[in-house]
Structure formats: structure tokens, C-alpha cells
Amino acid sequence: MFSAAVVAASLAVGANAAFAGTKSVKIGDDWFVKSDQTTTPVVKISKNSKVKFTWSGVDTHNVTLKSAPSGVTKSKFTFDDRSTGTKTTPKFSKPGTYKFVCTIHEVDGQKLTVKVKKPS
């Protein structure tokens, strides 16, 4: 009985750890890429975590918030045209789905979704 409780608790901690902290996203020439080098355009974090956006590549890009949970101020999550070496790390304090694009390269598929989970 005790070992089952320990296993369940460790699984719960592991599941939450996957969402916690700061996640890194590189902004490159017409793409967003997560820190694990996958180009999956979905990042999952927990409430009050951050996403560190780092501009790389040759072209200029922006990060524009297209949709967010009700009450989120879009201007706090929208970053003007920038180039290589620029970094910004906004904090996501409201659970829900945030959809971002680079408006310069949106037609090329430069889109990103950030899913913010409520802490359990």
C-alpha cells in the first residue's frame, strides 16, 4: 500500500516538473523552435512560469500575441521586430492557451502555441 502511494506521488511530481520553470524558444528564419531542438510549435508550462524568447538567424522577426485567455493584456506579450541576440522572458500568470505568430512570416507557418496549466 505504501509503495503504491510513493509511486503515485512520484508520478505526480514528474508530471508537474515537465511544466515548471522557464522554457526556451529560439526564433529563427521563419520558425520557432523549443530548447529540445524540436520545431513542435507547442510549449507547455505551468502558471507563473516563463518562456525565454531568443532571436537567432539572419532575418528580422517579431512575436505577436494573436489570442490569449480573457483578461490578458496582449501588449505585454507582443514584441516588435528584432534581430539576432535579442532576448525577452515574459511571465505567464494566467492559465490557458496563448497563440503567437511572427507577422512577417505568418504565411510561412511561423506560429507558436503556449499552453499554461493550472498548478495541481
Side-chain angles (χ1 to χ4, degrees):
M1 189 89 143
F2 175 75
S3 63
V6 170
V7 169
S10 65
L11 288 174
V13 169
N16 288 336
F19 290 93
T22 299
K23 299 285 182 158
S24 294
V25 174
K26 286 185 183 178
I27 303 165
D29 293 334
D30 309 342
W31 44 259
F32 291 101
V33 67
K34 296 187 326 185
S35 58
D36 64 4
Q37 300 302 309
T38 61
T39 55
T40 305
V42 177
V43 173
K44 296 178 182 178
I45 58 174
S46 61
K47 180 181 174 186
N48 295 322
S49 292
K50 297 178 179 182
V51 173
K52 179 170 80 173
F53 292 104
T54 303
W55 278 252
S56 63
V58 178
D59 297 337
T60 299
H61 302 281
N62 60 56
V63 175
T64 302
L65 182 62
K66 294 288 269 190
S67 65
S70 179
V72 170
T73 305
K74 288 187 178 183
S75 62
K76 290 184 180 182
F77 293 93
T78 296
F79 308 101
D80 294 334
D81 297 355
R82 300 178 184 191
S83 59
T84 299
T86 306
K87 296 178 184 177
T88 189
T89 311
K91 181 178 180 180
F92 292 76
S93 56
K94 189 153 191 164
T97 300
Y98 297 70
K99 295 198 177 259
F100 296 93
V101 299
C102 169
T103 57
I104 301 167
H105 303 104
E106 185 175 5
V107 295
D108 298 320
Q110 191 167 4
K111 300 175 184 179
L112 174 72
T113 299
V114 175
K115 292 187 177 187
V116 181
K117 178 184 172 208
K118 292 180 188 176
S120 24

